[in-house]
């Protein structure tokens, strides 16, 4: 929970300068900014201005971008009950799980509106700091340059996030708003625009990092900067049609080698997500969270039932949603059970399906400690795995059964690794059903950041949100090695991370097994490992599925196997969905924007 002080002192003043924010409302009243020569009197003022951006950045790229990147992919779904009788939310989130969104989608609009706030703040602060004579406010030139590099990196990170979503339809907005015309799409040609934006991000990162600090865990630092560049290089084929795997591998080796800060893999994965994760050597950068200030705790409750606090042993005002689940591993065949689900169902990884995507829980090896039930012991230490599964009982499984609501109101909660109407409510049970047709107990749930019992005196909402960790660098390097033709070296690189999830005895066997549903250490296996390691961290679609050409062309769960309202979900979707459309509202107020192809 380390943080820069005075996080919010400057945000209100800077925000007044933004006109390129919200939905580009051209009738918005514009206020004069606070004169920077008056505000910046010492380094403390500079620090406050820089730190104000972080809370905006964390929230701007949290909720709506999470929906778009995770629900649209193969591992996490917004699941309703009985076709929408409960949890439908006007279909706003279901359209992502089913690949049926349009330019009118409310979440796409919200993501667009929030995204520009961070970029606008960065533009303002960069210009302000660049016009300061450091000696006049008692700073060294080196210290001021570090702050400028930090903000330029924040802006590059923000641009990278929207680049993954909207590609070449974006404008290049690099100056504070002055009330003049809104910037148009970078170039009328989509591919040319992609190249302009790619080059802008790459140049910003390369110019910024030499002046930056190292190992500043709650701030953008040199290693975080280089990781953004590595992400850009890894996905260059998607962005600009050029493979940069060799450059990416070199940069990853430099990061692992300590050229941009001292980091190492955590021996216990739980250290990455615990209340003390800023002390974890694997965490490169994390957004500092604190309940009442910057609170991303709601993201961690989306999968849980309303009475989950009885299980965790804590009491919080945060109400869980119970609308999100892990994509199921099994169909709905076999003998239906009164508690939900069925016995004898077929796994999507096996015949007759043979999928390589989805089936999240069963892609974990049975000996992997993460596959265990989430548990906190008598010493208030997290010593279990990641999942809430099967019968859920109070006090970490030692008390009375927790009871469901909605369609199974009053019945004990028994989570099943399936999604379907096992009580035949709303629609009769079918072998494969879409996320519209679940029950309140459909789908296993995930606990990525721990919830501590009240006796521990630790608020889970205070755990810092990890944005960059060293294991991602290992995975980027491994993929580059595999694409370079050395699958065995790629396996060994991934195994440097995977080893921590197994006992020494199990590891001797597991290390040479590709796992359930896979027969070789190939690209399918590599993509699966990406998903397992970074499960529900908000980036599964990003360009992972896209980089492997699986986002619209890959097969998982219900695609090609079911229909709703007489409309079939095709096994392969239209490639137009590989980029998201600009929201219709943005096009309405900014005629210079050009919609993504095919929308």
């Amino acid at each position: 929970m380390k943080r820069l002080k005075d996080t919010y002192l400057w945000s209100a003043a800077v925000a007044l300068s933004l006109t390129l924010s919200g939905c580009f409302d051209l009738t918005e009243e514009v206020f004069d900014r606070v004169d920077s020569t008056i505000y910046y009197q010492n380094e403390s003022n500079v620090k406050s201005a820089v730190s104000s951006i972080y809370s905006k950045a964390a929230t701007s790229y949290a909720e709506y971008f999470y929906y778009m990147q995770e629900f649209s992919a193969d591992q996490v779904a917004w699941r309703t009950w009985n076709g929408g009788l409960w949890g439908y939310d006007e279909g706003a989130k279901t359209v992502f799980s089913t690949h049926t969104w349009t330019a009118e989608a409310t979440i796409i609009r919200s993501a667009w509106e929030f995204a520009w706030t961070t970029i606008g703040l960065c533009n303002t602060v960069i210009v302000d700091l660049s016009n300061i004579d450091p000696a006049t406010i008692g700073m060294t030139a080196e210290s001021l340059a570090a702050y400028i590099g930090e903000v330029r990196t924040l802006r590059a990170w923000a641009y990278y996030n929207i680049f993954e979503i909207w590609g070449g339809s974006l404008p290049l907005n690099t100056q504070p708003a002055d009330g003049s015309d809104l910037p148009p799409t970078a170039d009328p040609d989509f591919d040319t625009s992609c190249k302009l934006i790619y080059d802008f991000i790459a140049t910003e990162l390369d110019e910024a990092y030499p002046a930056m600090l190292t190992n500043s865990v709650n701030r953008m630092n040199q290693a975080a900067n280089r990781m953004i560049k590595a992400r850009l290089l890894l996905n260059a084929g998607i962005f600009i049609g050029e493979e940069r795997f060799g450059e990416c591998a070199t940069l990853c080796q430099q990061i692992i080698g300590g050229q941009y800060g001292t980091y190492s893999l955590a021996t216990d994965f739980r250290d990455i997500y615990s209340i003390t994760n800023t002390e974890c050597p694997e965490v490169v950068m994390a957004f500092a969270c604190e309940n009442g200030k910057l609170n991303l705790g709601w993201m961690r409750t989306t999968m849980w039932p309303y009475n989950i606090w009885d299980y965790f042993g804590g009491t919080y005002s945060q109400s869980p949603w119970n609308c999100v689940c892990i994509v199921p591993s099994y169909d709905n065949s076999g003998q239906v059970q009164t508690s939900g689900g069925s016995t004898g169902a077929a796994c999507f990884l096996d015949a007759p399906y043979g999928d390589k995507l989805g089936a999240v829980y069963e892609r974990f090896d049975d000996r992997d400690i993460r596959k265990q039930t989430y548990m906190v012991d008598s010493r208030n230490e997290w010593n279990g795995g990641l999942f809430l599964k099967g019968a859920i009982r109070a006090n970490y499984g030692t008390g009375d059964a927790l009871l469901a609501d909605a369609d199974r109101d009053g019945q004990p909660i028994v989570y099943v690794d399936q999604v379907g109407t096992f009580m035949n409510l709303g629609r009769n049970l079918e072998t494969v059903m879409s996320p519209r047709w679940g029950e309140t107990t459909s789908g296993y749930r995930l606990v990525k950041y721990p919830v501590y019992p009240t006796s521990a005196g630790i608020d889970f909402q205070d755990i810092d949100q990890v944005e960059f960790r060293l294991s991602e660098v290992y995975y980027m390097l491994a993929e580059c090695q595999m694409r370079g033709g050395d699958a065995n070296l790629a396996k060994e690189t991934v195994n440097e991370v995977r080893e921590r999830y197994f006992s020494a005895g199990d590891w001797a066997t597991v290390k040479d097994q590709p796992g359930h549903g896979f027969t070789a250490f190939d690209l399918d296996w590599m993509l699966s490992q990406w998903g397992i390691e970074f499960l529900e961290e908000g980036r599964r679609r990003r360009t992972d599925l896209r980089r492997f050409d699986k986002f619209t062309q890959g097969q998982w769960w219900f695609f090609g196997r079911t229909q709703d309202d007489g409309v079939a979900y095709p096994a392969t979707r239209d490639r137009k969905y590989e980029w998201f459309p600009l929201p219709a509202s943005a096009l309405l107020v900014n005629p210079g924007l050009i919609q993504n192809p095919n929308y």
Side-chain angles (χ1 to χ4, degrees), residues 343-414:
T343 58
C347 180
F348 289 113
L349 298 176
D350 301 327
Y353 302 109
D355 291 354
K356 302 294 183 182
L357 302 169
V360 178
Y361 182 75
E362 286 303 325
R363 294 209 324 268
F364 283 83
D365 188 281
D366 288 342
R367 293 157 289 191
D368 190 324
I369 60 176
R370 293 171 295 181
K371 202 172 184 179
Q372 298 173 5
T373 299
Y374 172 80
M375 182 65 64
V376 170
D377 63 23
S378 59
R379 298 171 297 173
N380 294 328
E381 293 181 359
W382 177 17
N383 66 359
L386 296 174
F387 294 96
L388 297 178
K389 55 185 180 176
I392 306 299
R393 308 178 71 84
N395 194 22
Y396 297 100
T398 64
D400 296 333
L402 293 190
L403 302 181
D405 62 353
D407 49 3
R408 289 189 175 270
D409 190 25
Q411 300 178 32
I413 293 175
V414 181

Side-chain angles (χ1 to χ4, degrees), residues 258-520:
Q259 188 165 326
Y260 307 105
T262 304
Y263 305 95
S264 60
L265 295 172
T267 56
D268 188 334
F269 81 95
R270 288 164 286 221
D271 293 343
I272 301 167
Y273 311 102
S274 72
I275 191 65
T276 57
N277 62 2
T278 55
E279 301 169 12
C280 176
E282 183 170 323
V283 176
V284 173
M285 188 267 166
F287 286 103
C289 294
E290 183 176 348
N291 188 32
K293 293 184 178 179
L294 175 56
N295 178 13
L296 298 178
W298 62 265
M299 293 180 62
R300 302 161 191 174
T301 72
T302 58
M303 294 195 183
W304 308 337
Y306 73 97
N307 52 356
I308 190 62
W309 308 124
D310 293 334
Y311 176 82
F312 288 137
T315 54
Y316 296 92
S317 59
Q318 183 72 49
S319 177
W321 293 6
N322 196 28
C323 289
V324 182
C325 70
I326 299 300
V327 165
S329 300
Y330 292 89
D331 69 11
N332 305 325
S333 61
Q335 181 65 44
V336 173
Q337 303 296 295
T338 56
S339 58
S342 63
T343 58
C347 180
F348 289 113
L349 298 176
D350 301 327
Y353 302 109
D355 291 354
K356 302 294 183 182
L357 302 169
V360 178
Y361 182 75
E362 286 303 325
R363 294 209 324 268
F364 283 83
D365 188 281
D366 288 342
R367 293 157 289 191
D368 190 324
I369 60 176
R370 293 171 295 181
K371 202 172 184 179
Q372 298 173 5
T373 299
Y374 172 80
M375 182 65 64
V376 170
D377 63 23
S378 59
R379 298 171 297 173
N380 294 328
E381 293 181 359
W382 177 17
N383 66 359
L386 296 174
F387 294 96
L388 297 178
K389 55 185 180 176
I392 306 299
R393 308 178 71 84
N395 194 22
Y396 297 100
T398 64
D400 296 333
L402 293 190
L403 302 181
D405 62 353
D407 49 3
R408 289 189 175 270
D409 190 25
Q411 300 178 32
I413 293 175
V414 181
Y415 286 130
V416 297
D417 198 7
Q418 299 167 266
V419 172
T421 53
F422 295 97
M423 295 188 296
N424 292 319
L425 294 178
R427 179 169 168 172
N428 287 337
L429 181 68
E430 299 171 16
T431 302
V432 179
M433 305 186 80
S434 82
R436 276 190 61 188
W437 297 101
E439 293 180 346
T440 188
T441 55
S442 286
Y444 283 174
R445 312 306 166 87
L446 190 74
V447 184
K448 202 70 182 266
Y449 287 80
V451 178
Y452 299 89
T454 305
S455 58
I458 299 171
D459 191 330
F460 79 104
Q461 297 166 110
D462 290 339
I463 303 174
D464 290 354
Q465 186 77 20
V466 177
E467 176 64 19
F468 297 97
R469 55 186 177 99
L470 188 64
S471 50
E472 182 182 348
V473 183
Y474 278 81
Y475 275 61
M476 287 192 283
L477 175 60
E479 185 179 328
C480 292
Q481 293 166 336
M482 182 166 287
R483 292 185 183 276
D486 198 334
N488 186 64
L489 182 58
K491 179 194 77 171
E492 295 303 319
T493 301
V494 170
N495 279 352
E496 290 189 56
V497 179
R498 291 181 66 221
E499 184 175 3
R500 65 189 176 197
Y501 302 117
F502 301 89
S503 69
D506 288 338
W507 182 242
T509 303
V510 172
K511 64 184 180 68
D512 295 316
Q513 296 176 341
H516 189 185
F518 300 87
T519 57

Side-chain angles (χ1 to χ4, degrees), residues 119-137:
I119 292 171
L121 287 169
C122 289
N123 289 341
T124 297
V125 174
I126 289 169
V127 170
D128 284 351
L129 298 187
S130 298
N131 290 328
I132 290 175
D133 178 356
T136 63
I137 61 171

Side-chain angles (χ1 to χ4, degrees), residues 95 131 151 193 198 206-207 361-362 391 408 468 477 553 584 592:
V95 296
N131 290 328
V151 181
S193 187
Y198 180 98
D206 288 343
E207 292 180 357
Y361 182 75
E362 286 303 325
R408 289 189 175 270
F468 297 97
L477 175 60
Q553 308 303 299

